[in-house]
């Protein structure tokens, strides 16, 4: 069965998976969505006997139908290799009465590695399939993790350049150091004065600037994206939910068809949307628990049906979730609007002009799969401390937001079915916040790298290579720009 992709804002023509991956964003500003969600028509018995790479092929081949078996397996084998420090790729750890799906065993110790390890291969394969002669310029905004994972994935990949924009004071010190020390002749990192939403809006504006696109094309370049707005980012994320369920089944922890809940700390809505797609493929997921931090725009949306970004932007200890415009939510809105592009477009235009939109009661009724809640900064810190003291298990701030919200969900509903929490980053990525949550008096005066060594001692987990290699690494990127200077910076980098 061939799966084609269409824009959430245009009733127009469909494109193939490889074309959607190449474009990143549709010309009309919409996001690409599959024209139908394929069924996961393979038994759990079979899936449970498979490696991560084999499960990846079974899931991704159902979405990326214009890739040959050889092409797709080649992409998967190059992505999920020794870059990951565990053969399982995404192991499950039992702690605090639930299962943490550790998505941080890749090169940059965050869940973005799960998709950004494969995207360069999908993209370069897609370029060959579509006879693209231009160099591909990856343009990406990051709230901390996507940037480094994309830089690592695309570094020195022939025929590509990557430009990452990040908010100057909106990422953790470790996240910033990971980005500004990035090697690779084709990698560029730019800090902007503003927050993540400013960076993301700036990138979208460049994508939608037809004059600039034409200028680039003339110079032998074309844009694509490594953000989760690219369908080539979203499809690989579906894999680990299927793999997690198969792992629970393989270990005799659930029976076939038994429903589980999934908790995802959410900013841009891509990771939880992947779980929603997995559910719609037929994976037995009951509730999709959407966990927000103090920037609780998604929690308010699930409660009221109004999406409203007109509020104070709060810098938290879980910066990858400091987002007020959740781009991937548009894919869900399109779906609950009955795949009505016109209806969706109108709501997105309201978001741009008024900063808010309200869905109908009929649309809201279709959100029953989701439960939304949020964790304050105090609750996030308290949960890190509690889980460490009770279980000896150290989690990062984003995972703690999820664990805090999960506890609220159980207290509110009494639902204790088996649950998987997406553990989206290593505690090493947010060492200061994690260690100060455990004991603020003891650790407050230590340097970032002293804290790294202390974390290794208390967690009994070796310091990951991603951290060791930046201890004394040379700063290679130091460009800082205003938001309105972003197009000029891109042109300067490309020599246009």
């Amino acid at each position: 069965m061939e799966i084609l992709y269409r824009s959430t804002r245009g009733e127009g023509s469909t494109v193939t998976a490889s074309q959607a991956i190449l474009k990143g964003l549709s010309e009309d500003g919409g996001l690409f969505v599959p024209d139908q969600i394929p069924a996961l028509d393979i038994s759990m018995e079979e899936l449970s006997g498979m490696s991560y790479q084999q499960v990846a092929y079974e899931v991704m081949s159902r979405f990326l139908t214009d890739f040959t078996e050889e092409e797709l397996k080649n992409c998967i084998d190059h992505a999920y290799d020794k870059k990951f420090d565990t053969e399982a790729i995404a192991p499950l750890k039992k702690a605090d009465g639930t299962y943490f799906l550790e998505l941080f065993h890749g090169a940059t110790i965050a869940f973005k590695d799960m998709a950004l390890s494969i995207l360069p291969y999908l993209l370069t394969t897609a370029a060959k399939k579509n006879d693209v002669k231009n160099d591909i310029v990856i343009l990406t905004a990051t709230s901390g993790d996507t940037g480094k994972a994309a830089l690592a994935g695309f570094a020195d990949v022939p025929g590509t350049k990557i430009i990452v924009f990040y908010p100057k004071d909106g990422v953790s010190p470790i996240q910033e150091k990971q980005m500004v020390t990035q090697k690779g002749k084709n990698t560029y990192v730019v800090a902007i004065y503003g927050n993540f939403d400013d960076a993301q809006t700036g990138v979208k504006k460049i994508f939608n600037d037809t004059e600039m696109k034409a200028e680039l094309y003339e110079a032998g370049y074309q844009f694509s994206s490594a953000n989760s707005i690219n369908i080539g980012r979203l499809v690989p994320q579906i894999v680990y939910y299927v793999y997690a369920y198969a792992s629970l089944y393989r270990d005799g922890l659930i029976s076939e068809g038994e429903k589980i809940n999934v908790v995802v700390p959410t900013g841009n809505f891509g990771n939880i949307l992947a779980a929603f797609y997995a559910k719609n493929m037929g994976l037995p997921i009951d509730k999709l628990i959407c966990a927000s931090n103090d920037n609780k725009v998604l929690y308010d949306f699930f409660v009221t049906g109004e999406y409203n970004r007109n509020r104070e932007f709060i810098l938290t200890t879980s910066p990858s979730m400091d987002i007020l415009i959740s781009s991937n939510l548009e894919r869900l809105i399109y779906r609950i609007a009955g795949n009505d592009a016109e209806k969706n477009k109108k709501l997105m235009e309201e978001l741009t002009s008024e900063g808010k939109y309200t869905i109908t009661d009929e649309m809201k009724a279709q959100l029953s799969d989701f439960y939304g809640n949020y964790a304050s900064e105090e609750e996030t810190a308290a949960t890190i401390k509690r889980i460490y003291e009770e279980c000896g298990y150290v989690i990062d701030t984003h995972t703690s937001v999820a664990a805090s919200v999960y506890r609220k969900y159980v207290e509110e509903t009494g639902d204790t079915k088996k649950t998987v929490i997406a553990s989206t980053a290593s505690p090493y990525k947010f060492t200061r916040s994690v260690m100060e949550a455990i004991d603020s008096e003891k650790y407050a005066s230590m340097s970032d790298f002293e804290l790294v060594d202390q974390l290794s001692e208390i967690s009994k987990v070796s310091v990951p290579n991603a951290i060791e290699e930046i201890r004394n690494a040379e700063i290679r990127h130091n460009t800082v720009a205003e938001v309105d200077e972003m197009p000029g910076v891109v042109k300067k980098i490309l020599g246009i």
Side-chain angles (χ1 to χ4, degrees), residues 344-388:
N344 173 67
K345 188 180 175 185
K346 191 172 171 294
L347 292 172
M348 295 308 129
E349 283 168 354
E350 283 175 30
L351 183 62
T352 303
S353 59
E354 310 293 324
K356 60 181 179 179
Y357 61 80
T358 304
I359 60 173
T360 63
D361 288 343
E362 190 185 17
M363 289 167 76
K364 192 164 185 270
Q366 293 179 66
L367 296 176
S368 58
D369 286 341
F370 293 89
Y371 166 90
N373 214 319
Y374 76 102
S376 68
E377 286 289 85
E378 295 71 29
E379 288 168 328
T380 302
T383 298
I384 291 171
K385 185 178 175 71
R386 180 184 64 77
I387 290 178
Y388 168 66

Side-chain angles (χ1 to χ4, degrees), residues 425-479:
S426 163
Y428 281 101
K429 199 130 192 179
F430 303 93
T431 320
R432 180 162 301 281
S433 299
V434 168
M435 296 304 280
E436 288 188 4
I438 289 169
D439 190 337
S440 59
E441 277 183 36
K442 185 175 178 183
Y443 298 121
S445 60
M446 292 186 183
S447 73
D448 286 319
F449 284 100
E450 282 174 329
L451 289 173
V452 161
D453 295 327
Q454 288 292 312
L455 174 55
S456 177
E457 204 174 296
I458 68 161
S459 66
K460 310 285 187 285
V461 174
S462 306
V463 178
N465 187 46
I467 299 297
E468 285 295 0
E469 68 185 15
I470 63 167
R471 269 187 203 262
N472 304 302
E474 174 198 348
I475 304 291
R476 293 166 178 269
H477 307 274
N478 51 21
T479 307

